[in-house]
Amino acid sequence: MAQRNTWQRERVREALADAGGFVSAQALYAALREDNTGIGLATVYRALASLASNGDADSLQSPEGESLYRACSSAGHHHHLICRRCGRTVEIAATDVEQWARSMAAAHGFTEAEHVVDIFGLCASCGAARSDS
């Protein structure tokens, strides 16, 4: 069943694009509330889930287990390097990971295997700033 493209969903999409990186539903809701949109938290969660399932947003779990979302900038399967401090994100190809995942699945009799790989660390700027402290 196709989801309607309501003004609320479109506004969530715009706010996600404006965020410029991965953001939680709570943070996005706070930004929308500051703009007096009248959009509720449940609507933000539904819109983000829909955008992620349609491939219009990337979704991942932070090291703390919180779901984070970002406007998707590339089509197709990809992975991320994410700075734990500033949130800078780099989309990466991971050919070795793809090959390993297929191999592991096949070795154990699995088919149609899917995976998610996101690497968290400190970007060069944040690493340098930490060293200077």
Side-chain angles (χ1 to χ4, degrees), residues 36-120:
N36 295 316
T37 63
I39 297 173
L41 181 58
T43 300
V44 171
Y45 274 105
R46 278 192 305 272
L48 289 172
S50 174
L51 291 169
S53 69
N54 291 340
D56 295 325
D58 287 325
S59 173
L60 58 85
Q61 279 200 324
S62 72
E64 296 79 27
E66 183 176 25
S67 291
L68 302 175
Y69 301 88
R70 176 181 82 137
C72 194
S73 60
S74 69
H77 182 70
H78 56 275
H79 304 283
H80 306 100
L81 292 169
I82 304 147
C83 181
R84 286 191 306 260
R85 182 181 256 178
C86 71
R88 178 174 180 253
T89 302
V90 177
E91 291 185 0
I92 58 171
T95 306
D96 293 341
V97 170
E98 303 301 331
Q99 186 176 13
W100 174 82
R102 284 190 301 274
S103 174
M104 287 294 101
H108 295 280
F110 280 70
T111 61
E112 300 181 36
E114 297 178 6
H115 66 275
V116 175
V117 175
D118 295 306
I119 303 167
F120 292 85

